[in-house]
Amino acid sequence: KKHMPCPSSSSWSSGTFDPDENYRKTVNAFTCRRCCSRPGEIENASLPTCTLDPEKVRQHIERTCDEWYKTTNPMVTNKREEQIRKAFLEADVVTMKSKDRQRTGSGLPSPPSGDVLELKKCYDILFTNAEKEHLPYEYFLEDWSAYCERSCNCDDVTQVNQGGMTVTIALDFLREMQ
């Protein structure tokens, strides 16, 4: 029986994470090899010896994978961005109404006090149940901590609130941490 390759699978084609039956059959393989001769040279001529730097290989693989996922299989599609923006807006309105009820006892919305949502709410909004199977809340917090550290160390510092996210930061976080 001849092996037939599985068709390529994009789990984000619908705009949300929805892996099909081929998703788990897909694998990326990398081969590192050293060329034995340069074009135009005699094959037996001595070549400069090169040492393979495992750290540079790892960095190259990470960059290549990141670029591939960002261009071929992005987490933040237009549809998903729209869904996230809507969910953040709805969550913010609910949060403001409940805070206002606690203060005044009325259901009238108070003036916007900011659009920073707590991290647990952000996690629930940003990830589907299928994604949460691969990214438990504890790992999300580790990624968030790394993102905050990187954001605070760059020249173009966005105001990052360690305890929550705005929708703009949440979308940037997804793009960055993909």
Side-chain angles (χ1 to χ4, degrees), residues 76 80-89 115-117 122 125-126 147 164-175:
V76 183
R80 188 164 192 196
E81 180 174 345
E82 185 180 309
Q83 291 168 341
I84 290 170
R85 287 184 183 281
K86 183 179 177 192
F88 260 75
L89 184 60
D115 55 355
V116 175
L117 294 182
C122 295
I125 289 171
L126 293 175
Y147 173 84
M165 297 180 185
T166 64
V167 69
T168 304
I169 290 175
L171 291 167
D172 185 58
F173 169 80
L174 276 182
R175 288 182 185 104

Side-chain angles (χ1 to χ4, degrees), residues 1-113:
K1 183 177 173 181
K2 187 176 178 184
H3 173 70
M4 297 298 291
C6 294
S8 142
S9 174
S10 176
S11 58
W12 291 100
S13 58
S14 66
T16 58
F17 184 72
D18 187 25
D20 61 15
E21 65 278 355
N22 290 321
Y23 178 73
R24 298 201 195 288
K25 298 177 185 175
T26 304
V27 67
N28 294 321
F30 299 94
T31 304
C32 298
R33 58 187 164 149
R34 183 175 163 206
C35 294
C36 295
S37 65
R38 294 182 183 151
E41 289 185 356
I42 303 170
E43 282 195 36
N44 293 334
S46 64
L47 293 175
T49 57
C50 299
T51 304
L52 190 60
D53 183 347
E55 181 59 23
K56 286 184 180 179
V57 171
R58 185 192 62 74
Q59 289 172 357
H60 172 74
I61 290 171
E62 283 181 4
R63 272 193 318 273
T64 303
C65 285
D66 286 347
E67 277 306 308
W68 184 84
Y69 280 109
K70 286 177 183 177
T71 57
T72 307
N73 205 12
M75 279 185 85
V76 183
T77 60
N78 290 336
K79 182 178 178 180
R80 188 164 192 196
E81 180 174 345
E82 185 180 309
Q83 291 168 341
I84 290 170
R85 287 184 183 281
K86 183 179 177 192
F88 260 75
L89 184 60
E90 290 170 355
D92 195 32
V93 168
V94 168
T95 302
M96 285 189 298
K97 283 183 181 178
S98 68
K99 283 181 183 175
D100 190 55
R101 269 192 222 108
Q102 288 172 353
R103 267 185 276 149
T104 65
S106 75
L108 300 171
S110 57
S113 58

